[in-house]
Each structure stands twice: as C-alpha cells, then as structure tokens.
Amino acid sequence: MAPSVCLQEMIRVIRSARTQGEERGVIQRECAAIRAQFRQADSGGRSHNLAKLLYVHMLGYPAHFGQMECVRMIASPRYSEKRIGYLGAMMLLDEKQDASLLITNSIKNDLSHSSQYIQSLALCTLACMGSAEMCRDLAPEIERLLKASNSYIKKKAALCAVHIVRKIPELGELFTPSAHSLLSDKNHGVLHGAVVLITELCERNPGNLDEFRKAVPELVQIMKGLVTSGYSPEHNVAGISDPFLQVRVLRLLRILGRNNDEASDAMNDLLAQVATNTDSSKTAGSAVLYETVLTIMDIKSESGLRVLAVNILGRFLLNNDRNIRYISMTSLQKIVQTDHTAVQRHRGTIVDCLKDQDASVKRRALELSLALVSAANIRSMMKELLRFLSTCPPELRSHATSGIFNAAERYAPSQRWHIDTILHVLITAGGDVRDETVPNLIQLISVASELHCYTVHKLYRALISDISQQSLVQVACWCIGEYGDLLLKGDCDEIEPMQVTEDDVLDVLETILQSHMSSPTSRGFALTAIMKLSTRITNNIDRIRSVVSIYGSCIDVELQQRAVEYNALFKKYDHMRAAVLERMPIMDKNSPGHANGDPSGEITKDLIQTTPIQGLLIQEPASQVCDLLDLLGETNTSSQANQNQVNTTSNSTSSSVQENLLDLLGGLEPTPAPNVTVYEKGGVNLKLQCDNQTETAITVTFTASNSTQSDITSFTLQAAVPKSVQLQMKAPSGDVIPAQGRGTVTQTILLNNPNKASLKMRVRLSYTSQGTLCQDMVQIDSFPSPAWN
Amino acid sequence: MMRFLLLFSRQGKIRLQKWFLPLGEREKKKIIRDMTTMVLARKPRTCNFLHWKDLKIVYKRYASLYFCCGLEEEDNELLALEVLHRYVELLDKYFGNVCELDIIFNFEKAYFILDEFLMGGEVQETSKQSIAKSIEASDMLQETMEEYMSKPAF
C-alpha cells in the first residue's frame, strides 16, 4: 500500500494533470487508496483521507462510499475528526440518504457536549441537512439550548430552530415562548437569530401574529438603538450600525404591521426616522433604506410616509449605481398599481432608463413604462417606446411589441395615430410581433374606413423596401388585396403621391409568393390578394389568371388548393367572381371564440337538409358559393367577418338559412337590443343595454347622460355580480358627462355566466356635480333579455 | 433565506458549493451549470442581480472568483451583496490577502468559516471579530487535540 499523500499534495497533483483523462486516472488511484484506508479503520490519517474525498467530490466525481466513514468520524471523540466528519455529512449526506439517520444519535450526544465548539458543529449540521425525523427527535434539545446562558450557542440554536420550523411547522409552538424572551438579549447574533426565528414563526402560522405583535415596541426600541447609536466598531459597516440586523428587524416589522392599524401606528415614527436619517451613499445604507421603503408601502402607513417612500425610490432612480436603479424599478413595479400618481411623477427618469446599457435595467424600465402609459401621456410615451423598439435587445422585442399594441389600443387618440403606430412597429420589429396580432391589426385597419387609402399606400411603400418581416407582409398583402383599387388610383390626401401601376403591385405580390423568406401563411395571403385584385384592376387579368393556374400544381397543399379553387372561380363561376371578391364588411371585434370550420359546416349541412330543392339552379350555386365562402372563411384568418356572421346566423332558426346566406353577401343588420333606464336621479340618467353573444356570455352597456346645467366630472361606475358570474369591466369612454344631454359616457361590461344563474347586478355610481361629490347605488334584478330561460 | 452559495472561477470550475436546501445530485449539477453559464455571460458594467426561475440571483466578482447566491422572493438583494462582501472580508482576514489558490488548497477551512457566518441560509453572526475569534478558538482546539495525539494536521 503506497503511503497516502497529504491533502494539499493530492490537490497539487490533480491540478497539474494536463488532460481530463490524466486527472481521472489520478483520482481513481487516490479513491482506491482512500477506500482501502477506510476499510482498514486506521485511526491515524482518517481525517485527511476524508478531506481528500471531499475534494474529489467537489470536482464532481462520485464519493458515496465516504458516507459511512462520515458517520464513523462524527462518532469519534477527537475534534479534528468530528469537524471533518460533520463537514462530510453536510456535503455527502442529505435527508434523502439512509445513512443520515445514523448520525442522529451522535448529534444528540454532541448537543450536550461540554465543549461549545462541538455543540456548534452538531447544531450547524442539523440546521443544514436535518431531515424531518431528525428534527422531531432533537427539537426538545434545541429548545433547551435556546435558554442556555452562552450566547454563542443561543444564536446557533435559534437558527437551528428556524430550520426545524421550516421542516415541521407544527413544532413552532415549542419555540414560541423562548423566541419572545430572546429579544431582550444584548448580543447582536442572538438578536438576529431571534428576529429570524420570529419571522419564520409568523410566516408559517398567522396565528402567531397576535402574540408577536406585542413585541413591536421592543423591536422599535432595538431599531432606534441601532440608528441613533454612535460609531460601534464591532458592528459598523460603511457608517451603518449592523445593517444585517436592521434589515431583518424592518422585515419583521413589515410582517407584523401588515393589515394592522395599531402595529402600523407604533412603527410610523421609527420608519420616518430611519428613512430620513440613513445615509445611502454605500450599499449597506441603501439596503436598509430599501427595506424601509418596502415596509412603509406594505403596512398601513400615513400618506405622508408613503410619499416619502416613493420619493426615496425616485432618488434611487437617479443613483449612479446600476444595482440601486434596478432595485428601485422592481419596487416601483410593485406599487405602480396602488400608487399610480406618485409613480407617474418619476416617469421621465424611468423612460430615460430605457436607454441604459444594462439589459436587466432595460427590461425593468420597459415593464414600468408600459404600466405608466395613460390617456394623458400616450403620445409622448409612445414616441419613447418606439424609439426604444429600434434599439431594443432581441429578447425583449416581442414583449415590447405586444405592450405597445395594448397601450395603443387602449389609449389611441385617433385612428390615424393608431394606424401610424402599428405601421411603425411592423416596419421596425415586424418579425417579433406575436402571431395573434395580425388578425387584430387587420380588423383595426378595416374599421378605420376613411384611412384605407392612406393605410394601403403606406403599407405598399413599406413592402417594396422590405419583404422579410412576415407580419408586415401579411397585413400588407391583405390590405393590397382589399384596397388595391385605392392604391392604384394614385392620389391620397395625407401622403405624397406616388404612381403605382398594376404591374408594380402584381410584381410585389409575385415576389412575395416566390421568395424563400416568405412563410406559408404569408404566401397564402399573397395569393388571395392577387386573386382579389382580379376584380379591382382592369388590364392584367390574364397575368393573374396565369399566376393562379401555375400555383394549381404547387407542392404546398394549401396554396394548391387555393389556386385550384380560384381557377374554378375564373372558369366556371366567372359570373360570381365579382360578388365573392367584393370588399369585406367591417368586422365586429367582440365576437367570442368560434370554431374555425364548424359554423360554416353547420350552414352547409342545414342547406342540404332543411332547404327544399326549389330549383337545382338556385340550390347548387348557393351551396357551392357557400363552399367557397367556407374556403375563404376557414383558410383566410382575416375573414373573421364571414365566420362571425355565419356564427350568428347559425344561432338563429335554420329555416331562414337561405335568406341569411344572401344576407352574408350584403351584410347583416344587428337587431337592436332593448334599452332600459335603470337609474334616474339628480339629472343623471343611466341606461342599460344587453347583447347576448352566446348563451352564457353577455355584453352589458351602460350609457350615462346628464340633463343638468353643468358638466358632471369624475364619473365612475362600479359593478358587483353574484359569485358564480364572472365580470370584466372594459375601460369607460370617459369620465366627464357634458351638460344638457350634449354627450354621454358609455361603459361596457362583459359577463360570463357559465351556471346560468339568475343574473343580478349592483351598480355604484360616483360623480362630482357642481363641486359636490355624490354617490349612489342601484340594484338591477332583471335584465332585459330572455337568454336565461 | 439563501438557497445556495457558489464560488466558481472564470473558467466555470466550482471552488465551493453550499446548499441550504436538500436537492438531488442532478439538480445541484444543473443549477451549477445554469449559474455558471448565466453569470459568466454577463458583461462587465451590468447590475449584479439576475432573475432565474423563481429566485433572485445575486453575484459579485472578486478578482478571479465569482461569488453567486440564490435568494428567495422576500430577501433583500442589496443586503445579499453585503453578505457576500462580509464573507470575502472574513476569508481575507483569515488567510491574509486571500486569493483563489488559498481557497483551492484550503477548501475545508473556507467551509468552516462559512459555517461560522451563515447557517440554514441566514446570517448567524454580524460581528467580524466574533467570528474570527470563534474560528481561531476552533483551530486551537483542533491543534491541541492533534498535538495531544501527536499526529500532524491534514
């Protein structure tokens, strides 16, 4: 047996190995030697063998054969062996290993050892890897040690108790009395341990909160002592006296003061003192201030204190240290919903952080900026956000684009602005836009009918410079297909004129069809657009015909199907081509999710089943038109209009299917729902209108009008419904109702009643009229619709 | 509480790993891999905080070693920076101008010092002098025993 080398020698040898293979070889030799030594039970070099094994383990090699050796070493009377044995236990054994149970007895014995250092080894190991059984066995010991006179042991016992409470929350009861008494100790280590223990007890069992709220004055005293005490060399860190303890006390105060007025009052002064006196030029001070701010915002503090806290966060935002800027933004994110106005004051700084170099800071700034967008600042914020988008790191792009779209949709000051913003985003970051936004955008564009000319021109110009961004390509193709005639007319008010010939347009669309950059969806869009243009252009119909027939033999099945059917439109059904490819009617956004093919399928079935064959001539084309509409409805994601109208028609009785089908081509008129006045007082009139979307979803629209002489301001509606009904309030149209019926405020509420419970709603109005604040409540017991039967 | 504390070099070799939560070997290896990749990829003048799964990761570079710890939602990141700094100060005081090699060749002592400073993921003692005294006393105890048994230390 070669004499075993000492630890440091072995480390040197391993490090000098030039290749991985050489290292493995050395380690295998050493491990073999160590194993042999373990078997020998030689009392000499046991500790350094185990140390070597632990080193090997840290390099990532298997070391499980050392587990029993750890158990043996822990039981040894020698301190050096115990020390390394316990270290081995912490590294190699965890509660999942069976061998861990074997050390329970040794730990128990060592907990009562005469040497405090051996006691501390046992406590440390128990706190590190103690399993639930071990904790249960040894909890009474720990409780006894909490009352020891030795502060070295007390502080360790406190943290060990924390571990026990984490493992077995019920045992918390055992430690509650001692925990409270530990707070009167002078030793900072013990105090820190006590505060951590009380925090853990309160978090695990809210029943303890009342008990420990009695300790609030004591905690406040401790903090005051730390804050106002002079320089203490033992605990000073950058001018702050024991920041570790201060932060933990503040955190405990936060838990105790939450939702409790009395406790919050008791700590108000202290928090103000800490907030104003702490020097935050170094990290230690900033850590304390940060914890203070979190505490102030979480308890029931007075408004002055809250403002102070938000101002501290604002100051942090201007700090040179990036960490502090990041911290302040995470905190502001937490409070932006509740203290919106206070955070708005710092909007400028937050927006500046969008330009920071650090990606984490940018991410935080983006989320905060999106949360701060409001109707008042939408234009300036959007400018900043769009500027950010052009320099945005790739991982944030899709988040940024969807955030921008949401903000634009909620607060767009005008349709033209909205469309410009959308175009800007598509051009800058079209590749990162999420897929579901394309149909939304198309719907938006179709609604803004006056801007069709402008939109299609801008999209066309963007398209000819870049066809790689798929969302842009898809939206542009759809628009060119729909509004191609406007594009070719050439003139448009708001944009400088550009002569676009039919050949140019067809060139672009064909390029997209043939480009390998285009996704299959985009190619589908392009082909349909080309087809639609056949009714909007005059000269190049033959060209379109040839393109369509070429794609009749395309490998892509989707394109092939479309091409074949469009070919059929050219040949057999040329007489209805114009009608089929006509402009789409404006789509309704709020229709709930409908199955892609089913409603159309239903219609076809109904047609075949219920309609008597009145004449083959009428029947056949109708069903085949329906098939084609099917085609356009299923495969073209943008024709939600067809699906929507088909859906609503399938809800109505099937006998009028034939009429509804013809209606499809013309456009449906929705039957107006009854409008009922639910509240009439003091000149304020509130009307209710119901629309059933499906059997369980209902849209309720409130319209408020004002017949007094002066405007009503700050008008808000709050609504409550029975528990089984889900309610979603949309943004109101505004909060000012002009006087003398000159204007109204509407608020839409979406309800989902899956259990078809009887619907009741309680509405609370609150508004300011002629300087006085008025509030009123109205209960609505019956809704003007027969849907619930 | 702190869930783990890792020390690794610029080449990604782990020099110390302390786990305050029971995890399987594979999970530990995965966490080490993720931490080293994430932290080593950070550019020089970026902030010291990261987000990983549901944990806050705080890291600081001291010469050739990265000190990295994983915190829970409620923990104070700025204070964690102070904790890491305190640990480095303790090592520095003990080894006298500590460098990576000290930690490599005396890893067990680094662990002993850590065990006097942190326990169960929480700070145990907030006074530097107190910790230094305890370590010194433990070492004396070890040497006394060794002298008594007349065998050399490791």
mmCIF file with all atom_site columns, all heavy atoms in Angstrom, chain A residues 327-338:
data_model
loop_
_atom_site.group_PDB
_atom_site.id
_atom_site.type_symbol
_atom_site.label_atom_id
_atom_site.label_alt_id
_atom_site.label_comp_id
_atom_site.label_asym_id
_atom_site.label_entity_id
_atom_site.label_seq_id
_atom_site.pdbx_PDB_ins_code
_atom_site.Cartn_x
_atom_site.Cartn_y
_atom_site.Cartn_z
_atom_site.occupancy
_atom_site.B_iso_or_equiv
_atom_site.pdbx_formal_charge
_atom_site.auth_seq_id
_atom_site.auth_comp_id
_atom_site.auth_asym_id
_atom_site.auth_atom_id
_atom_site.pdbx_PDB_model_num
ATOM 1  N N   . ILE A 1 327 ? -33.082 48.038 -8.396  1.00 0.00 ? 327 ILE A N   1
ATOM 2  C CA  . ILE A 1 327 ? -33.897 47.795 -7.202  1.00 0.00 ? 327 ILE A CA  1
ATOM 3  C C   . ILE A 1 327 ? -35.079 48.734 -7.163  1.00 0.00 ? 327 ILE A C   1
ATOM 4  O O   . ILE A 1 327 ? -36.208 48.332 -6.896  1.00 0.00 ? 327 ILE A O   1
ATOM 5  C CB  . ILE A 1 327 ? -33.030 48.011 -5.939  1.00 0.00 ? 327 ILE A CB  1
ATOM 6  C CG1 . ILE A 1 327 ? -32.047 46.889 -5.779  1.00 0.00 ? 327 ILE A CG1 1
ATOM 7  C CG2 . ILE A 1 327 ? -33.885 48.117 -4.708  1.00 0.00 ? 327 ILE A CG2 1
ATOM 8  C CD1 . ILE A 1 327 ? -32.710 45.590 -5.565  1.00 0.00 ? 327 ILE A CD1 1
ATOM 9  N N   . SER A 1 328 ? -34.825 50.002 -7.456  1.00 0.00 ? 328 SER A N   1
ATOM 10 C CA  . SER A 1 328 ? -35.923 50.957 -7.351  1.00 0.00 ? 328 SER A CA  1
ATOM 11 C C   . SER A 1 328 ? -36.995 50.638 -8.388  1.00 0.00 ? 328 SER A C   1
ATOM 12 O O   . SER A 1 328 ? -38.187 50.758 -8.121  1.00 0.00 ? 328 SER A O   1
ATOM 13 C CB  . SER A 1 328 ? -35.417 52.381 -7.515  1.00 0.00 ? 328 SER A CB  1
ATOM 14 O OG  . SER A 1 328 ? -35.241 52.695 -8.858  1.00 0.00 ? 328 SER A OG  1
ATOM 15 N N   . MET A 1 329 ? -36.579 50.173 -9.557  1.00 0.00 ? 329 MET A N   1
ATOM 16 C CA  . MET A 1 329 ? -37.594 49.874 -10.559 1.00 0.00 ? 329 MET A CA  1
ATOM 17 C C   . MET A 1 329 ? -38.403 48.650 -10.188 1.00 0.00 ? 329 MET A C   1
ATOM 18 O O   . MET A 1 329 ? -39.615 48.624 -10.416 1.00 0.00 ? 329 MET A O   1
ATOM 19 C CB  . MET A 1 329 ? -36.955 49.714 -11.931 1.00 0.00 ? 329 MET A CB  1
ATOM 20 C CG  . MET A 1 329 ? -36.654 51.063 -12.519 1.00 0.00 ? 329 MET A CG  1
ATOM 21 S SD  . MET A 1 329 ? -36.422 51.052 -14.275 1.00 0.00 ? 329 MET A SD  1
ATOM 22 C CE  . MET A 1 329 ? -34.743 50.547 -14.303 1.00 0.00 ? 329 MET A CE  1
ATOM 23 N N   . THR A 1 330 ? -37.769 47.636 -9.583  1.00 0.00 ? 330 THR A N   1
ATOM 24 C CA  . THR A 1 330 ? -38.566 46.486 -9.168  1.00 0.00 ? 330 THR A CA  1
ATOM 25 C C   . THR A 1 330 ? -39.565 46.903 -8.103  1.00 0.00 ? 330 THR A C   1
ATOM 26 O O   . THR A 1 330 ? -40.713 46.453 -8.118  1.00 0.00 ? 330 THR A O   1
ATOM 27 C CB  . THR A 1 330 ? -37.697 45.344 -8.601  1.00 0.00 ? 330 THR A CB  1
ATOM 28 O OG1 . THR A 1 330 ? -36.626 45.904 -7.872  1.00 0.00 ? 330 THR A OG1 1
ATOM 29 C CG2 . THR A 1 330 ? -37.149 44.470 -9.683  1.00 0.00 ? 330 THR A CG2 1
ATOM 30 N N   . SER A 1 331 ? -39.153 47.790 -7.191  1.00 0.00 ? 331 SER A N   1
ATOM 31 C CA  . SER A 1 331 ? -40.092 48.229 -6.162  1.00 0.00 ? 331 SER A CA  1
ATOM 32 C C   . SER A 1 331 ? -41.207 49.060 -6.762  1.00 0.00 ? 331 SER A C   1
ATOM 33 O O   . SER A 1 331 ? -42.369 48.906 -6.395  1.00 0.00 ? 331 SER A O   1
ATOM 34 C CB  . SER A 1 331 ? -39.382 49.063 -5.105  1.00 0.00 ? 331 SER A CB  1
ATOM 35 O OG  . SER A 1 331 ? -38.140 48.525 -4.827  1.00 0.00 ? 331 SER A OG  1
ATOM 36 N N   . LEU A 1 332 ? -40.857 49.965 -7.684  1.00 0.00 ? 332 LEU A N   1
ATOM 37 C CA  . LEU A 1 332 ? -41.889 50.795 -8.295  1.00 0.00 ? 332 LEU A CA  1
ATOM 38 C C   . LEU A 1 332 ? -42.887 49.930 -9.044  1.00 0.00 ? 332 LEU A C   1
ATOM 39 O O   . LEU A 1 332 ? -44.084 50.202 -9.053  1.00 0.00 ? 332 LEU A O   1
ATOM 40 C CB  . LEU A 1 332 ? -41.253 51.810 -9.258  1.00 0.00 ? 332 LEU A CB  1
ATOM 41 C CG  . LEU A 1 332 ? -40.540 52.966 -8.594  1.00 0.00 ? 332 LEU A CG  1
ATOM 42 C CD1 . LEU A 1 332 ? -39.752 53.766 -9.617  1.00 0.00 ? 332 LEU A CD1 1
ATOM 43 C CD2 . LEU A 1 332 ? -41.531 53.883 -7.902  1.00 0.00 ? 332 LEU A CD2 1
ATOM 44 N N   . GLN A 1 333 ? -42.399 48.863 -9.648  1.00 0.00 ? 333 GLN A N   1
ATOM 45 C CA  . GLN A 1 333 ? -43.297 47.957 -10.358 1.00 0.00 ? 333 GLN A CA  1
ATOM 46 C C   . GLN A 1 333 ? -44.334 47.396 -9.400  1.00 0.00 ? 333 GLN A C   1
ATOM 47 O O   . GLN A 1 333 ? -45.501 47.238 -9.753  1.00 0.00 ? 333 GLN A O   1
ATOM 48 C CB  . GLN A 1 333 ? -42.469 46.814 -10.954 1.00 0.00 ? 333 GLN A CB  1
ATOM 49 C CG  . GLN A 1 333 ? -43.241 45.846 -11.812 1.00 0.00 ? 333 GLN A CG  1
ATOM 50 C CD  . GLN A 1 333 ? -43.490 46.398 -13.182 1.00 0.00 ? 333 GLN A CD  1
ATOM 51 O OE1 . GLN A 1 333 ? -42.635 47.082 -13.747 1.00 0.00 ? 333 GLN A OE1 1
ATOM 52 N NE2 . GLN A 1 333 ? -44.642 46.142 -13.739 1.00 0.00 ? 333 GLN A NE2 1
ATOM 53 N N   . LYS A 1 334 ? -43.911 47.098 -8.159  1.00 0.00 ? 334 LYS A N   1
ATOM 54 C CA  . LYS A 1 334 ? -44.863 46.507 -7.215  1.00 0.00 ? 334 LYS A CA  1
ATOM 55 C C   . LYS A 1 334 ? -45.932 47.507 -6.830  1.00 0.00 ? 334 LYS A C   1
ATOM 56 O O   . LYS A 1 334 ? -47.055 47.131 -6.520  1.00 0.00 ? 334 LYS A O   1
ATOM 57 C CB  . LYS A 1 334 ? -44.127 46.047 -5.946  1.00 0.00 ? 334 LYS A CB  1
ATOM 58 C CG  . LYS A 1 334 ? -43.344 44.787 -6.141  1.00 0.00 ? 334 LYS A CG  1
ATOM 59 C CD  . LYS A 1 334 ? -42.773 44.276 -4.812  1.00 0.00 ? 334 LYS A CD  1
ATOM 60 C CE  . LYS A 1 334 ? -41.563 43.426 -5.119  1.00 0.00 ? 334 LYS A CE  1
ATOM 61 N NZ  . LYS A 1 334 ? -40.511 43.489 -4.138  1.00 0.00 ? 334 LYS A NZ  1
ATOM 62 N N   . ILE A 1 335 ? -45.583 48.797 -6.778  1.00 0.00 ? 335 ILE A N   1
ATOM 63 C CA  . ILE A 1 335 ? -46.556 49.752 -6.257  1.00 0.00 ? 335 ILE A CA  1
ATOM 64 C C   . ILE A 1 335 ? -47.227 50.574 -7.339  1.00 0.00 ? 335 ILE A C   1
ATOM 65 O O   . ILE A 1 335 ? -48.041 51.443 -7.043  1.00 0.00 ? 335 ILE A O   1
ATOM 66 C CB  . ILE A 1 335 ? -45.914 50.710 -5.229  1.00 0.00 ? 335 ILE A CB  1
ATOM 67 C CG1 . ILE A 1 335 ? -44.799 51.526 -5.881  1.00 0.00 ? 335 ILE A CG1 1
ATOM 68 C CG2 . ILE A 1 335 ? -45.403 49.936 -4.052  1.00 0.00 ? 335 ILE A CG2 1
ATOM 69 C CD1 . ILE A 1 335 ? -44.265 52.586 -4.958  1.00 0.00 ? 335 ILE A CD1 1
ATOM 70 N N   . VAL A 1 336 ? -46.904 50.328 -8.618  1.00 0.00 ? 336 VAL A N   1
ATOM 71 C CA  . VAL A 1 336 ? -47.435 51.200 -9.658  1.00 0.00 ? 336 VAL A CA  1
ATOM 72 C C   . VAL A 1 336 ? -48.955 51.109 -9.734  1.00 0.00 ? 336 VAL A C   1
ATOM 73 O O   . VAL A 1 336 ? -49.621 52.073 -10.090 1.00 0.00 ? 336 VAL A O   1
ATOM 74 C CB  . VAL A 1 336 ? -46.769 50.897 -11.025 1.00 0.00 ? 336 VAL A CB  1
ATOM 75 C CG1 . VAL A 1 336 ? -47.279 49.594 -11.586 1.00 0.00 ? 336 VAL A CG1 1
ATOM 76 C CG2 . VAL A 1 336 ? -46.990 52.008 -11.994 1.00 0.00 ? 336 VAL A CG2 1
ATOM 77 N N   . GLN A 1 337 ? -49.527 49.968 -9.367  1.00 0.00 ? 337 GLN A N   1
ATOM 78 C CA  . GLN A 1 337 ? -50.983 49.868 -9.440  1.00 0.00 ? 337 GLN A CA  1
ATOM 79 C C   . GLN A 1 337 ? -51.632 50.671 -8.336  1.00 0.00 ? 337 GLN A C   1
ATOM 80 O O   . GLN A 1 337 ? -52.628 51.354 -8.557  1.00 0.00 ? 337 GLN A O   1
ATOM 81 C CB  . GLN A 1 337 ? -51.422 48.403 -9.322  1.00 0.00 ? 337 GLN A CB  1
ATOM 82 C CG  . GLN A 1 337 ? -50.883 47.496 -10.419 1.00 0.00 ? 337 GLN A CG  1
ATOM 83 C CD  . GLN A 1 337 ? -51.291 47.929 -11.795 1.00 0.00 ? 337 GLN A CD  1
ATOM 84 O OE1 . GLN A 1 337 ? -52.340 48.550 -11.987 1.00 0.00 ? 337 GLN A OE1 1
ATOM 85 N NE2 . GLN A 1 337 ? -50.470 47.653 -12.777 1.00 0.00 ? 337 GLN A NE2 1
ATOM 86 N N   . THR A 1 338 ? -51.071 50.578 -7.122  1.00 0.00 ? 338 THR A N   1
ATOM 87 C CA  . THR A 1 338 ? -51.744 51.213 -5.985  1.00 0.00 ? 338 THR A CA  1
ATOM 88 C C   . THR A 1 338 ? -51.425 52.698 -5.871  1.00 0.00 ? 338 THR A C   1
ATOM 89 O O   . THR A 1 338 ? -52.278 53.483 -5.514  1.00 0.00 ? 338 THR A O   1
ATOM 90 C CB  . THR A 1 338 ? -51.321 50.534 -4.676  1.00 0.00 ? 338 THR A CB  1
ATOM 91 O OG1 . THR A 1 338 ? -49.897 50.390 -4.706  1.00 0.00 ? 338 THR A OG1 1
ATOM 92 C CG2 . THR A 1 338 ? -51.950 49.160 -4.558  1.00 0.00 ? 338 THR A CG2 1
#
